[in-house]
Amino acid sequence: MEGRDARPAGVPDPPVAVPGAVPAPSVGALSEALLAALEASTVPMFLTGPRRGGLRLEWMNAAFRGQVADGTHAVVGEPLSVLRDLVQEGPDIDPLRTAFDGGSAVQVVVHDVAADGELRWHQLSFSPVQAAGGSEHWLGVQVDVSDQVGEPSGERATVELSRRRMARLDLMTQVSSLLTDLDHPLVLREIADVLGRAVGCRIAFYMNDKGLVYAESVDVNTPPSSRIRTRHHPRHAAQSAPPEGRAWARDVVQDVLDGEDLGPVQVDLGDPYPPGSASDVLQRDVRSRLAADLTETVGVTVYPVPGRRRVLGLLVVVLEPGREFMPSLTPGTTLRSIARRAGMLIDTARLYAREHRLAETLQRAMLPEQADVTGLDVWTYYAPNSDHAQVGGDWYDVLQLTERDVGVVIGDVVGHDVEAAATMGQMRSVVRSYAFEMTLPGDVLERVDELVSGMRLPRASSLVYARLERLPVEPSQGEPLWELAYSRAGHLPPVLVRAGAARLLDGAAGTLIGYGPSVRATASLRLLPGDVLVFYTDGLIERRDRDLRAGLEALAAEAGAVSAVDAAGVGEQLLSRVGSTPEDDIAVVVVRVPDVRSDVVPTDGGPRSRRWLLPSEPTSIARARHAVVRTCQAWQVEGASQAELVASELVANAVMHGWGHVALRLFDTGRTLRIEVEDANPSPPVPTDGHVNRGGGYGMQIVERLADWGWRPTRTGKIVWAKLHGVSTFTGALRRVPDTGSSGQSS
């Protein structure tokens, strides 16, 4: 009609005002009233965001907050998956995923145990809600249906639930057993095989360590999850054109790796993904590795393997056409739980490995670089207890104080942690400072007491400090003598071995360092040629099945029976007889006064192995030669010059091309000598034809001519070994050992 507004079809005329009638509420008023009604409803309700946004919780009423969140969990803003952790048995997520992807309503039943222990059943209903602008939300409603579940059907449901739980528990037990051995080279593949047989599909792990790659094992040396990986998109991915008539699919795998989507997500093997993206990399590998024999398009579900701070990798599930998940399990919940457990254990193993490397590096850095000692045969040894991650408070030091004086100190800081190691480093520096400044050991410890009290070190420490002074040679005697002075601060007494008898040097005792300044005594005695001093920490003798006094008696008895005539041999014999099963860190220093007139080698010769730890510096090469020559003389081995040359070249190679301390070991194989040199450089030695225009480069050629040699990797570097040609070991007649003082260090 003319004069009336033209309205589109289907739009009603505005309401006509009726005199006396109540005005109709506005749309805004209706919305406020509806929101107030939903908030006050006794039926628990919540609203999520769209599927693309991860179904994040946007609103929940008071009834829902009171039941599932207890008013203490700030779950608004988090993904819908957070609700699964608030019930004892969550639903299978596959029907939910299908409904969400298709935009259709769905109902699932979950169960929980109330505070009184009663089993309760809840029905969750999800309905799509179209909001303004075409945005899709989901309304969730929770209804307690425990009373509607009849007794027979409830019993059947309970039996089925118990069966599912037992199947899931059995599967979790198998996987947990495999996860206890992450060092196994095929641990992830075995877990995937177990899971695949249980749920009836193909499963594989992909780790995001150096890019997203298929993984059969765990590299525990990879940094833990604090390190964030970059996205997989190539630099020019945006310039790549998608197939004609199609658009690039969203890189859902990268969203999972970045933690933006808690998963699981679907990867369609037919969708085009940006080249080089995480989804593209995974899609290509799944096609070739897991679905190469399948002709139809298969469904691929991706679960995150989360660590503490980032996603470590993916658990990829390939469901073959025509097959379904095993009905005895709730696959979604089970696989997610296993992926989460695997991620936490992998992250823990990597964290422990990193701390272990850090602790070992710290401990190695604090090992003293022993000085050459003139006129004495010195051997040192340190071995941390593996249970303490190679960090301990045991320490030692050997100092060439003057041309005629030598200092020896051994100590133990209370505790086995980084703090104990740090205190040990400070104590070593303090003792070194006063040892060069003062003469009497008692005076040195008094000054250490005073300084430590001012420094407020957190740990107490025991130690023995000894000073050996070389006396002038008397023409009538023809032998150098040494004067020993020592003082003890709560530490075990050193052992003196003389003429086959051992006794404890228990004089000059005092309290631990760290309990305040105190007067310190000094005890002294004269050392004769052939005397042996053994300094040690309690790890050498302390055992759970005996008291400390019995351990001291055992040490004295074994020290008196030692037959070796070199410091290294004495130390090796004591370790094999007393310290073979240590329960704590061990530090040992053996000092022997050589005796030219009476040093002979008994037929047994003691343990036929020696070891020394040397600093990575050129002086260690000469020290290694000296140690090998003296050992060959002690073992009555002909061909000491050949062994000396091979050891010299191997140690020189480690000093020049390696790093860290150098470990030298010598073994009597029964037929020949075997020399081993270890350093922290994992790169293997390579024989060369020498260096042009400069000397050197022929070391390994020399070794090849004199020995069979090889190398093997270790956890901290490598070991290069050599078996000598034409050198036979034997124990013949007694043989005199020349008077040559030597120093060695073992670990």
Side-chain angles (χ1 to χ4, degrees):
M1 290 178 60
E2 187 176 352
R4 294 186 62 181
D5 296 334
R7 298 184 178 277
V11 177
D13 293 335
V16 179
V18 179
V22 178
S26 65
V27 175
L30 281 174
S31 299
E32 293 179 1
L34 179 60
L35 184 61
L38 294 176
E39 177 68 25
S41 173
T42 58
V43 178
M45 302 179 187
F46 58 91
L47 189 71
T48 78
R51 169 71 166 155
R52 285 287 186 182
L55 293 171
R56 298 189 178 276
L57 291 165
E58 296 182 346
W59 169 86
M60 58 183 64
N61 66 358
F64 190 83
R65 289 195 300 270
Q67 286 201 19
V68 301
D70 256 348
T72 60
H73 296 78
V75 293
V76 173
E78 298 185 30
L80 178 65
S81 56
V82 73
L83 300 181
R84 184 177 53 252
D85 300 329
L86 302 178
V87 297
Q88 189 176 43
E89 184 74 21
D92 189 355
I93 62 174
D94 294 292
L96 286 175
R97 186 191 304 111
T98 302
F100 288 141
D101 291 341
S104 58
V106 64
Q107 294 180 346
V108 294
V109 177
V110 299
H111 87 280
D112 198 8
V113 178
D116 57 1
E118 183 181 358
L119 182 67
R120 307 297 296 175
W121 298 89
H122 302 277
Q123 177 179 283
L124 290 176
S125 302
F126 295 90
S127 303
V129 177
Q130 297 295 332
S135 177
E136 183 182 72
H137 297 255
W138 291 84
L139 176 66
V141 179
Q142 174 190 333
V143 179
D144 190 334
V145 295
S146 302
D147 296 336
Q148 284 74 27
V149 177
E151 185 174 342
S153 59
E155 290 180 355
R156 288 195 299 272
T158 302
V159 170
E160 176 62 24
L161 178 62
S162 299
R163 183 164 49 188
R164 287 170 52 189
R165 281 183 173 177
M166 291 300 296
R168 181 182 176 189
L169 180 62
D170 180 65
L171 180 59
M172 293 292 288
T173 301
Q174 294 182 57
V175 173
S176 297
S177 177
L178 293 172
L179 285 171
T180 58
D181 187 15
L182 290 178
D183 291 332
H184 190 279
L186 298 176
V187 59
L188 293 183
R189 192 178 77 178
E190 291 188 3
I191 293 174
D193 291 343
V194 170
L195 292 177
R197 291 191 296 268
V199 300
C201 56
R202 304 180 183 186
I203 293 179
F205 281 92
Y206 286 79
M207 300 305 294
N208 187 29
D209 296 332
K210 298 177 181 177
L212 188 62
V213 293
Y214 171 77
E216 295 183 334
S217 60
V218 177
D219 182 7
V220 296
N221 292 318
T222 298
S225 62
S226 58
R227 181 180 180 184
I228 305 300
R229 310 298 298 188
T230 57
R231 296 178 69 89
H232 286 72
H233 294 295
R235 184 178 302 174
H236 304 293
Q239 302 177 6
S240 302
E244 185 177 355
R246 305 189 67 180
W248 291 128
R250 180 179 176 84
D251 189 1
V252 292
V253 174
Q254 188 64 56
D255 290 341
V256 172
L257 293 174
D258 291 341
E260 297 176 5
D261 192 330
L262 299 183
V265 298
Q266 298 291 319
V267 176
D268 193 330
L269 295 186
D271 282 351
Y273 292 100
S277 65
S279 297
D280 176 63
V281 171
L282 181 65
Q283 182 189 65
R284 292 174 182 273
D285 197 84
V286 168
R287 280 175 180 169
S288 62
R289 189 184 305 274
L290 302 179
D293 59 333
L294 301 177
T295 57
E296 301 180 38
T297 301
V298 297
V300 178
T301 305
V302 177
Y303 294 84
V305 178
R308 287 174 173 79
R309 298 186 180 182
R310 72 172 179 93
V311 175
L312 305 180
L314 305 172
L315 177 64
V316 178
V317 181
V318 178
L319 185 61
E320 303 177 38
R323 296 194 63 177
E324 297 181 353
F325 283 124
M326 296 293 288
S328 60
L329 291 169
T330 306
T333 303
T334 302
L335 294 176
R336 180 184 290 272
S337 299
I338 290 174
R340 183 180 304 170
R341 177 169 178 79
M344 294 303 293
L345 289 177
I346 292 172
D347 212 16
T348 299
R350 289 176 173 178
L351 180 62
Y352 177 80
R354 184 181 70 171
E355 292 181 349
H356 191 82
R357 291 192 300 270
L358 174 63
E360 184 177 24
T361 301
L362 176 63
Q363 191 68 53
R364 285 181 179 272
M366 290 185 175
L367 286 176
E369 297 184 358
Q370 177 186 313
D372 287 318
V373 177
T374 304
L376 289 175
D377 185 10
V378 180
W379 181 82
T380 58
Y381 175 83
Y382 175 79
N385 189 301
S386 58
D387 294 338
H388 301 146
Q390 300 234 12
V391 170
D394 292 23
W395 60 287
Y396 64 86
D397 214 346
V398 179
L399 312 170
Q400 185 78 55
L401 301 174
T402 69
E403 187 177 334
R404 303 172 61 88
D405 297 322
V406 176
V408 178
V409 59
I410 193 163
D412 187 1
V413 176
V414 176
H416 296 92
D417 51 23
V418 175
E419 188 176 62
T423 303
M424 175 263 287
Q426 292 174 294
M427 286 293 301
R428 177 187 163 202
S429 299
V430 171
V431 174
R432 270 192 166 223
S433 300
Y434 290 130
F436 281 95
E437 178 184 340
M438 311 181 74
T439 302
L440 288 179
D443 294 343
V444 171
L445 295 191
E446 286 184 14
R447 294 296 299 275
V448 171
D449 273 330
E450 295 174 2
L451 186 58
V452 167
S453 298
M455 294 173 62
R456 299 184 181 275
L457 293 182
R459 303 293 178 87
S461 175
S462 68
L463 64 89
V464 175
Y465 172 60
R467 187 182 183 100
L468 293 90
E469 179 185 1
R470 187 168 187 170
L471 302 177
V473 177
E474 299 179 9
S476 61
Q477 187 177 16
E479 291 287 350
L481 298 178
W482 292 80
E483 185 78 21
L484 169 68
Y486 68 93
S487 183
R488 297 190 298 125
H491 200 82
L492 297 172
V495 177
L496 171 65
V497 182
R498 175 177 292 172
R503 67 184 180 95
L504 301 176
L505 302 180
D506 53 3
T511 59
L512 295 171
I513 300 293
Y515 284 101
S518 61
V519 177
R520 300 287 182 176
T522 299
S524 62
L525 73 152
R526 180 162 294 187
L527 298 180
L528 302 178
D531 284 355
V532 176
L533 290 171
V534 181
F535 302 85
Y536 55 95
T537 56
D538 56 4
L540 181 66
I541 62 172
E542 195 172 34
R543 301 293 181 270
R544 293 186 181 91
D545 58 350
R546 70 184 183 196
D547 59 26
L548 202 58
R549 183 175 296 277
L552 288 172
E553 293 174 354
L555 174 61
E558 295 296 343
V562 166
S563 57
V565 295
D566 60 323
V570 173
E572 294 288 358
Q573 275 192 330
L574 289 178
L575 287 176
S576 64
R577 298 177 182 180
V578 183
S580 58
T581 57
E583 298 174 1
D584 200 352
D585 303 341
I586 296 179
V588 179
V589 178
V590 178
V591 179
R592 186 179 185 278
V593 180
D595 185 357
V596 176
R597 295 176 302 178
S598 61
D599 276 358
V600 292
V601 182
T603 54
D604 60 3
R608 307 290 281 190
S609 65
R610 299 289 189 269
R611 44 192 158 173
W612 300 268
L613 188 67
L614 307 169
S616 184
E617 58 184 31
T619 57
S620 294
I621 302 173
R623 204 175 302 175
R625 290 200 302 264
H626 191 99
V628 170
V629 169
R630 184 168 181 84
T631 301
C632 289
Q633 292 170 345
W635 288 352
Q636 300 181 345
V637 175
E638 301 292 345
S641 59
Q642 186 173 333
E644 177 187 9
L645 183 55
V646 171
S648 175
E649 294 298 336
L650 295 182
V651 172
N653 201 48
V655 169
M656 295 176 60
H657 305 293
W659 53 80
H661 286 77
V662 178
L664 169 64
R665 302 182 183 92
L666 197 62
F667 302 93
D668 177 1
T669 66
R671 294 184 178 182
T672 185
L673 288 179
R674 177 186 175 97
I675 301 173
E676 292 187 355
V677 175
E678 181 179 5
D679 66 84
N681 185 354
S683 301
V686 179
T688 66
D689 295 330
H691 301 305
V692 180
N693 298 327
R694 60 189 179 94
Y698 300 97
M700 296 312 297
Q701 289 189 21
I702 296 174
V703 174
E704 281 186 337
R705 287 182 176 273
L706 299 178
D708 294 326
W709 73 277
W711 75 283
R712 67 177 186 272
T714 65
R715 185 172 55 84
T716 58
K718 69 174 180 300
I719 290 177
V720 182
W721 56 266
K723 290 183 178 179
L724 299 180
H725 295 155
V727 175
S728 60
T729 58
F730 64 95
T731 54
L734 297 183
R735 178 191 184 98
R736 180 167 296 176
V737 180
D739 177 20
T740 54
S742 68
S743 297
Q745 190 175 27
S746 173
S747 178

